[in-house]
Amino acid sequence: MTQNEASFPPRIHSGATDPKPQRPVKSRDWMPIILIGIAIAYLALVLYIPAANVFFQAFKKGFGPFLSNLTRPAFLHAAWLTLILAVITVPLNTVFGLCAAWAITRHKFPGRAFVLSIIDLPFSISPVVAGLMIVLLYGRQGWFGGWLQEHGIRVIFAFPGMILATAFVTMPFVAREVIPVLEEFGKDQEEAARTLGAEDWQIFWRVTLPSIRWGLLYGVILTNARAMGEFGAVSVVSGNIADKTQSLPLFVEDAYKQYETEAAYSAAVLLALLAVVTLVLKEILERKTRIKDVE
Amino acid sequence: MAVSSPRSSPRQLIPPEPPVWKKFLSNLSRIPWTWRITVAYLTVMLFVPIAAMFLKAGTEPPAKFWEIATSPIALATYDVTFTTSVIASLLNGVFGTLIAWVLVRYKFPLKRIIEASVDLPFALPSAVAGLTLATVYSNNGWVGSLLAPLGIKVSFTRLGVAVAMTYISLPFVVRTVQPVLQEMEREIEEAAWSLGATQWQTFWKVIFPPLFPTILTGIALGFSRAVGEYGSTVIIASNTPFKDLIAPVLIFQRLEQYDYSGATVIGTVLLLISLVLLIGINLLQAWARRYDTK
């Protein structure tokens, strides 16, 4: 005990003065190389080989067949539908996420952890179950089914259902990314603005939004990626009719099932590129927030 | 004091008692609009659908509910879902911790790209993942063809489901463990080394115990995601009952046959399981946070 206590000050000292160059203590041996090797091998088996395969399969016969697959009407319609899905659901969930994040971080109340869990709930619910819930609400025998039918509105096996399903599975992303940023940013500047006579709306636009913009953007990008890529929930409610209610991920599966592997992979390349862009932007945004942290 | 206050307060509370709903409404109007939007959106998108599900399940007589929920085909799907999810999340528990360790502690070329790529399963749509995993692990695929001579068939079997689930739950352990590992003080480790502990001992006795709740949280998060996964598993599996049919796919098949009560019952079971998992994960996170204060 006493020995431990006696040896503490110099250790803290060395850590405080040079945090970086303390690595060559014992890591000179082969251990890191083996561990890095295992890690990369595992990642290769689960991630890299499958990811490389997407591009290999799509361009196996060259660029021409790839392009001709991408000009099919069914594909173009699916891509268009996917885009519209994102255009509608991303702003919707951004507004909700901002409101939820603001409400949770700017008001003290009991049961905050509980509310946070509720916001996370859509992530832990299986997409198929999410789709099923929407069917039970808006389907022919659902709660609102009768009313909708009287008014001639189709939700299930139609585009509105797909929007509901996509909005459901992407609900928590923005709130989740914005809450920690808002919490760290604190209320001080907002309160200062308020004492200077700013209104809520002005405070939000001039003070809060600029300081959370990277976190917000990050959340929006994740929402967009999931909205364009969602398969399970959308396929339950869409009916999956080519040229009508088929989004890009549904097109991929449908083409694969019809043994049109090349068409499936051509569309998959587009979705994979979306994933790559998402990851790159995510990396950039993470670095931006990290630089701010250091300051 | 304790006796007098309840006597006096009812008297004061009596006048506003009749319009309780009015008081409730006036309270509502005082709620900030951010809360109103949040609660309204959550109600429409989350609470009402969940209520619809439970109420629909409630219309089944309990005996029939139980019969559908425990029918042989349903039990077989739970079995496949849970065994494969457990295998996948434990596998990621081990390798995810290792990847987090490597990313935090070592420097090597392309580290940035490798680090960013861990999130690929979050970004790559599950239909694409299922498609390419099914090809790569099929008998004539890049990896599957190496396993086929050993008599191991992956695509269109339970093993394939496990591979898809491993893919989908990979980031959870890495991303949960990484920040904790980053914040852990190296001084304690170095103290252990200087006292003569081997690397192995240092890991098991110094690093692992405080990290364990975090690893477990990551495994639970991955598990909860794997249990509900649909897109990638439906493509890589043959979806044959009693072989590799998982619970979410069974729900989908029931819906396709317009068997709403069947779908609802199994969906309710799955929903309850994910709610239990969510509570469990919250408890685990609270446990892991205990080490923070130290």
Side-chain angles (χ1 to χ4, degrees):
Chain A
M1 275 289 270
T2 43
Q3 241 185 349
N4 262 343
E5 277 162 13
S7 58
F8 247 114
R11 223 177 286 137
I12 287 168
H13 182 74
S14 73
T17 46
D18 48 350
K20 275 273 165 71
Q22 56 171 217
R23 52 186 290 272
V25 181
K26 246 195 172 178
S27 51
R28 55 193 152 66
D29 48 4
W30 37 263
M31 203 56 175
I33 298 161
I34 291 178
L35 292 182
I36 292 168
I38 295 173
I40 292 177
Y42 185 74
L43 285 172
L45 273 178
V46 183
L47 298 184
Y48 303 148
I49 295 176
N53 179 61
V54 174
F55 293 91
F56 175 79
Q57 297 285 343
F59 297 112
K60 206 163 48 175
K61 290 182 186 160
F63 213 73
F66 170 75
L67 275 183
S68 69
N69 277 321
L70 291 194
T71 45
R72 288 172 171 211
F75 167 84
L76 289 174
H77 188 271
W80 174 244
L81 211 59
T82 302
L83 204 67
I84 305 271
L85 270 178
V87 165
I88 295 174
T89 54
V90 170
L92 208 62
N93 280 331
T94 305
V95 170
F96 160 73
L98 275 174
C99 284
W102 179 278
I104 286 169
T105 51
R106 291 300 179 253
H107 301 280
K108 286 246 149 67
F109 59 95
R112 268 194 54 179
F114 179 67
V115 176
L116 281 173
S117 301
I118 286 180
I119 288 183
D120 268 353
L121 205 56
F123 279 162
S124 45
I125 293 175
S126 170
V128 175
V129 175
L132 170 63
M133 294 196 291
I134 292 167
V135 171
L136 290 179
L137 268 183
Y138 304 97
R140 197 165 289 173
Q141 296 162 331
W143 283 9
F144 309 135
W147 187 87
L148 288 169
Q149 211 160 19
E150 273 171 33
H151 292 75
I153 306 166
R154 271 186 79 123
V155 176
I156 301 305
F157 305 134
F159 190 61
M162 297 169 75
I163 293 176
L164 284 169
T166 308
F168 183 95
V169 292
T170 56
M171 210 189 300
F173 281 110
V174 171
R176 249 196 172 189
E177 295 306 327
V178 171
I179 285 170
V181 186
L182 261 183
E183 220 146 56
E184 208 169 292
F185 169 60
K187 289 188 195 179
D188 298 354
Q189 294 183 40
E190 286 165 17
E191 273 161 9
R194 186 160 292 138
T195 55
L196 292 171
E199 279 164 32
D200 278 0
W201 200 234
Q202 284 177 312
I203 295 172
F204 177 74
W205 274 113
R206 303 258 175 103
V207 182
T208 314
L209 199 60
S211 58
I212 61 167
R213 61 184 187 277
W214 300 126
L216 175 64
L217 205 57
Y218 186 14
V220 169
I221 285 162
L222 292 179
T223 309
N224 180 60
R226 184 74 196 266
M228 289 187 159
E230 177 53 26
F231 176 75
V234 172
S235 79
V236 172
V237 299
S238 84
N240 199 358
I241 306 154
D243 284 329
K244 280 202 179 118
T245 56
Q246 198 169 57
S247 66
L248 219 41
L250 298 182
F251 176 85
V252 170
E253 196 231 5
D254 198 38
Y256 176 69
K257 269 192 185 161
Q258 316 283 332
Y259 298 102
E260 298 178 31
T261 317
E262 276 170 51
Y265 272 106
S266 300
V269 159
L270 232 66
L271 288 169
L273 286 176
L274 170 76
V276 170
V277 170
T278 305
L279 288 184
V280 169
L281 287 175
K282 182 177 175 306
E283 188 69 14
I284 293 170
L285 290 172
E286 263 180 355
R287 216 169 291 168
K288 288 238 182 208
T289 42
R290 222 177 288 150
I291 288 165
K292 255 181 109 189
D293 279 356
V294 175
E295 283 171 5
Chain B
M1 257 198 24
V3 183
S4 71
S5 63
R7 208 189 287 159
S8 62
S9 60
R11 229 178 253 170
Q12 285 173 338
L13 277 178
I14 282 168
E17 184 126 16
V20 171
W21 59 273
K22 226 176 198 176
K23 204 181 169 196
F24 178 71
L25 277 185
S26 76
N27 269 339
L28 263 186
S29 67
R30 242 179 282 145
I31 293 173
W33 57 270
T34 46
W35 265 115
R36 276 184 252 168
I37 293 178
T38 307
V39 172
Y41 195 75
L42 279 176
T43 307
V44 173
M45 295 298 297
L46 191 63
F47 301 145
V48 172
I50 291 178
M53 176 101 157
F54 280 134
L55 287 176
K56 169 83 180 162
T59 58
E60 299 292 331
K64 199 180 171 218
F65 184 97
W66 186 251
E67 193 195 313
I68 299 174
T70 60
S71 62
I73 186 168
L75 288 178
T77 61
Y78 306 147
D79 174 35
V80 177
T81 311
F82 287 113
T83 44
T84 48
S85 302
V86 165
I87 291 168
S89 50
L90 287 182
L91 202 66
N92 279 328
V94 175
F95 286 99
T97 309
L98 190 139
I99 292 165
W101 174 266
V102 162
L103 288 175
V104 170
R105 288 299 165 89
Y106 304 137
K107 279 182 185 157
F108 50 92
L110 299 178
K111 183 177 158 180
R112 271 247 154 83
I113 294 172
I114 287 168
E115 174 152 17
S117 71
V118 170
D119 282 330
L120 195 66
F122 287 153
L124 191 71
S126 56
V128 178
L131 173 73
T132 183
L133 283 170
T135 312
V136 167
Y137 284 90
S138 76
N139 277 344
N140 41 19
W142 287 351
V143 181
S145 62
L146 302 175
L147 297 172
L150 306 171
I152 305 171
K153 204 168 169 280
V154 184
S155 284
F156 312 115
T157 67
R158 232 175 245 221
L159 209 56
V161 176
V163 168
M165 285 178 175
T166 308
Y167 164 86
I168 213 75
S169 59
L170 172 72
F172 289 96
V173 175
V174 181
R175 290 301 180 228
T176 330
V177 171
Q178 212 178 356
V180 180
L181 207 54
Q182 212 135 31
E183 264 170 42
M184 251 165 49
E185 290 166 66
R186 290 198 71 166
E187 280 90 33
I188 303 166
E189 270 168 64
E190 277 159 20
W193 284 342
S194 66
L195 291 171
T198 62
Q199 281 192 344
W200 210 224
Q201 282 175 318
T202 320
F203 180 77
W204 278 116
K205 302 213 167 147
V206 180
I207 301 165
F208 188 68
L211 209 57
F212 182 63
T214 312
I215 296 174
L216 221 54
T217 309
I219 292 175
L221 284 169
F223 177 78
S224 128
R225 176 73 197 267
V227 166
E229 175 58 16
Y230 173 77
S232 53
T233 44
V234 73
I235 297 177
I236 202 171
S238 67
N239 301 315
T240 318
F242 303 102
K243 191 183 152 224
D244 61 0
L245 185 70
I246 54 166
V249 180
L250 180 64
I251 296 173
F252 193 88
Q253 291 182 348
R254 286 280 178 274
L255 267 176
E256 272 185 330
Q257 296 151 2
Y258 297 100
D259 175 8
Y260 286 95
S261 57
T264 310
V265 168
I266 297 154
T268 308
V269 171
L270 216 58
L271 183 63
L272 287 174
I273 290 166
S274 46
L275 290 179
V276 169
L277 280 171
L278 189 71
I279 295 167
I281 289 164
N282 275 325
L283 292 176
L284 271 174
Q285 274 168 340
W287 182 33
R289 230 170 281 137
R290 254 195 216 163
Y291 285 92
D292 278 2
T293 51
K294 223 178 105 183

